[in-house]
Amino acid sequence: MAKRITAWIAGILITGLYVYVVVAAIGNLVLLPQMGASLGLGIAPAGWFWLGFGLLLPVVVYALALAIARRRSAGLRILVLAAGLCLVAAVQLEVLHLVPQSSYFA
Amino acid sequence: MRKKTARGARESSLASGWTIEADEAPHLDGAPEAPGPEAHAEEAPGQEAHAEAGFSSDAAADAAADAVSAAPERAQLSNGTLVILGVLGGLYLLYAWIWLSWASYYAGANAELAAASGAIGGTLQQLVFWAAPLAPILWFLAAMALNRGRTKRLVLWVAIGAIVLLPLPVFSGGGSV
């Protein structure tokens, strides 16, 4: 019983981080065009792509992680979910590094 | 892949050959533990992984320890698989180190941002940044745990991870803002 509760708590915490990444991506998607508009700039197609990518990536990775770890033990499922979250974080760092901020605006 | 499995099969047949041919070749009886390393050394030129032997030696031990703990007596990993996993494991550790450096860079930059914006979002963003260095490690562990006893799939998944988690900014000089 305690094991199940621990697994659920860990799963909920990790899911919460996924949700945060999605919420932050939605925030970027909504606020960045406003920011650009206040500067008299629009969003470039590449900018839209990266904003949408940041929104879709955590969702897709979460679904994939759940699908891969289906019918496995709870600990293994949480390990795969955590690995997926770390993958999302790593890709996010990559995008931050490689895509210049100025290329979002047009 | 095929080469690797062939080597594994050949090595085991060699070991069984020892017990059968012990009467025919008594002059080889002196070194019962010779065939393992000898066979390994014979195979070495055919495999590019051995070019990085120095790099893989401790990583191989690491992966061996992982393998022992992950798959106790389900299936014995062949020598070639262990070497491949060791090399990739070392590569994963290198990835983790690179991601760690970037995470600390962005965590520092983000700390100022977090101070300006909400506390909750800043904290969570920090957590996400610091999760990145764990990605190679968790991928390796998850691949190990998900593919117990299925060596080909394990190597495939670890190889996929080595490509997916490749720290791309390394090739562009890094730090482009």
Side-chain angles (χ1 to χ4, degrees), chain B residues 29-117:
Chain B
D29 257 358
E33 283 173 15
E38 206 174 278
H40 203 79
E42 261 175 32
E43 303 291 334
Q47 192 180 23
E48 74 261 49
H50 276 269
E52 299 173 283
F55 174 62
S56 71
S57 59
D58 63 336
D62 195 5
D66 269 357
V68 166
S69 65
E73 59 268 7
R74 193 78 62 86
Q76 198 82 24
L77 290 175
S78 70
N79 270 349
T81 313
L82 273 185
V83 168
I84 291 172
L85 283 180
V87 169
L88 287 172
L91 194 66
Y92 272 50
L93 284 181
L94 193 67
Y95 285 6
W97 181 255
I98 294 170
W99 287 119
L100 182 64
S101 70
W102 293 343
S104 62
Y105 168 72
Y106 274 109
N110 194 54
E112 297 161 17
L113 215 84
S117 61

Side-chain angles (χ1 to χ4, degrees), chain A residues 39-104:
Chain A
L39 294 170
L41 295 168
I43 297 292
W48 285 119
F49 170 77
W50 288 116
L51 288 173
F53 179 78
L55 177 60
L56 283 182
L57 182 73
V59 178
V60 170
V61 169
Y62 189 76
L64 274 181
L66 282 184
I68 287 172
R70 255 180 93 196
R71 295 163 210 270
R72 301 301 188 110
S73 68
L76 196 47
R77 233 177 299 169
I78 285 168
L79 175 64
V80 173
L81 274 183
L85 178 74
C86 294
L87 173 70
V88 170
V91 173
Q92 204 181 43
L93 276 183
E94 248 170 17
V95 172
L96 276 173
H97 247 293
L98 284 180
V99 182
Q101 309 284 312
S102 55
S103 75
Y104 281 88

Side-chain angles (χ1 to χ4, degrees), chain A residues 20 72 76 86 89-90 93-94 97, chain B residues 125 128 131 145-146 166 168 175-176:
Chain A
Y20 163 72
R72 301 301 188 110
L76 196 47
C86 294
L93 276 183
E94 248 170 17
H97 247 293
Chain B
Q125 187 62 62
V128 171
L146 282 172
L166 185 72
L168 286 176
S176 68

